[in-house]
């Protein structure tokens, strides 16, 4: 198994929640044909292979497929590179250039809403209805179930269900889905997802969305 570390991305204010992310520092040391098997063996919702820390080139894999873009891996890698003294201003997953920066304890990235295709959002009438959903709900395809906690304040309760048959029953914190929801609603959000994760978003008029959150070692 390739050498890796695990961080938690989008932790809550007291360090609760956070979606685990496996980071393989020596991406070039794992051949492309071996990466999918390693991601499946590790079993996290995503594994990030850092192919070039100097330029921020990153390869992202779920247990079943590569992803051109994913939010929580890029926030996690940005934080981790900065912690290792190798901070970059731009990450480069296959989808394109992703600016990144730090504001206090919050690590931010900026991405295009169109990169987060394939994640369907569904609004529910109450937080209780979202909390009562089975994991996963019946059906196929990515579902981001959400309800307003406080619409005026832009506070959302959400749960994410990949439903792709690779063992990830529920995603603890999903940057790409939060990006999709932010673009659909056209406003900044504070998303409480999973058991205690918090995702911050900022909506821009040019089709981009900022995703931010706290990261820590697993």
């Amino acid at each position: 198994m390739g050498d890796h570390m695990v961080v938690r991305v989008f932790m809550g204010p007291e360090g609760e929640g956070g979606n685990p992310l496996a980071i393989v520092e020596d991406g070039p040391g794992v051949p492309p044909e071996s990466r999918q098997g390693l991601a499946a063996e590790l079993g996290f919702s995503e594994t990030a292979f850092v192919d070039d820390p100097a330029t921020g080139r990153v390869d992202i894999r779920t247990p079943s497929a590569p992803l051109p873009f994913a939010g929580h891996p890029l926030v996690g890698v940005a934080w981790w590179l900065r912690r290792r003294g190798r901070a970059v201003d731009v990450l480069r997953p296959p989808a394109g250039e992703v600016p990144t920066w730090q504001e206090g304890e919050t690590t931010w990235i900026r991405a295009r809403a169109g990169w987060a295709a394939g994640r369907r959002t569904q609004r529910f009438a109450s937080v209780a209805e979202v909390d009562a959903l089975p994991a996963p709900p019946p059906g196929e395809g990515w579902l981001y179930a959400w309800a307003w906690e406080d619409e005026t304040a832009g506070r959302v309760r959400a749960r994410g269900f990949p439903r792709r048959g690779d063992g990830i029953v529920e995603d603890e914190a999903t940057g790409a889905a939060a990006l999709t929801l932010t673009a659909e609603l056209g406003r900044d959000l504070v998303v409480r997802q999973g058991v205690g994760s918090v995702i911050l978003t900022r909506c821009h008029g040019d089709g981009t969305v900022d995703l931010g959150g706290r990261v820590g070692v697993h």
Side-chain angles (χ1 to χ4, degrees):
M1 185 179 293
D3 291 338
H4 67 281
M5 70 170 298
V6 181
V7 300
R8 290 187 298 134
V9 185
F10 299 128
M11 296 188 307
E14 303 301 324
E16 67 274 28
N19 196 0
L21 168 72
I23 300 175
V24 179
E25 178 177 10
D26 182 20
V30 182
E33 63 271 17
S34 301
R35 294 184 178 188
Q36 202 57 65
L38 177 57
E41 185 177 354
L42 292 173
F44 296 104
S45 59
E46 277 102 15
T47 296
F49 297 84
V50 181
D51 286 326
D52 186 349
T55 63
R57 192 157 55 87
V58 183
D59 179 27
I60 304 166
R61 308 283 178 127
T62 72
S64 55
L67 293 177
F69 169 81
H72 109 270
L74 294 174
V75 170
V77 167
W79 176 87
W80 177 79
L81 287 174
R82 188 169 286 107
R83 188 170 185 259
R84 298 275 288 177
R86 310 181 80 170
V88 295
D89 296 327
V90 178
L91 294 173
R92 292 177 170 86
E97 294 191 349
V98 178
T100 179
W101 65 98
Q102 193 80 16
E103 296 178 9
E105 293 186 344
T106 304
T107 302
W108 290 92
I109 64 169
R110 179 170 297 159
R112 304 205 66 81
W115 292 346
R119 291 163 180 82
R120 181 173 68 88
T121 67
Q122 182 177 346
R123 181 180 176 180
F124 287 78
S126 68
V127 169
E129 288 186 22
V130 173
D131 288 341
L133 290 171
E140 298 180 355
W142 234 108
L143 175 66
Y144 202 53
W146 70 279
W148 288 114
E149 282 189 334
D150 184 335
E151 185 172 358
T152 301
R155 300 187 65 87
V156 165
R157 168 64 172 148
R159 294 173 67 192
F161 305 101
R163 299 193 300 190
R164 57 185 175 232
D166 61 5
I168 306 300
V169 174
E170 180 170 352
D171 208 12
E172 171 60 28
T174 316
L179 185 154
T180 297
L181 181 62
T182 299
E184 289 176 352
L185 296 176
R187 59 180 296 185
D188 302 354
L189 300 175
V190 177
V191 181
R192 181 173 64 88
Q193 186 178 334
V195 300
S197 300
V198 176
I199 305 169
L200 308 176
T201 73
R202 298 170 179 164
C203 188
H204 301 289
D206 62 355
T208 63
V209 172
D210 297 346
L211 295 171
R214 296 180 64 222
V215 186
V217 177
H218 188 56

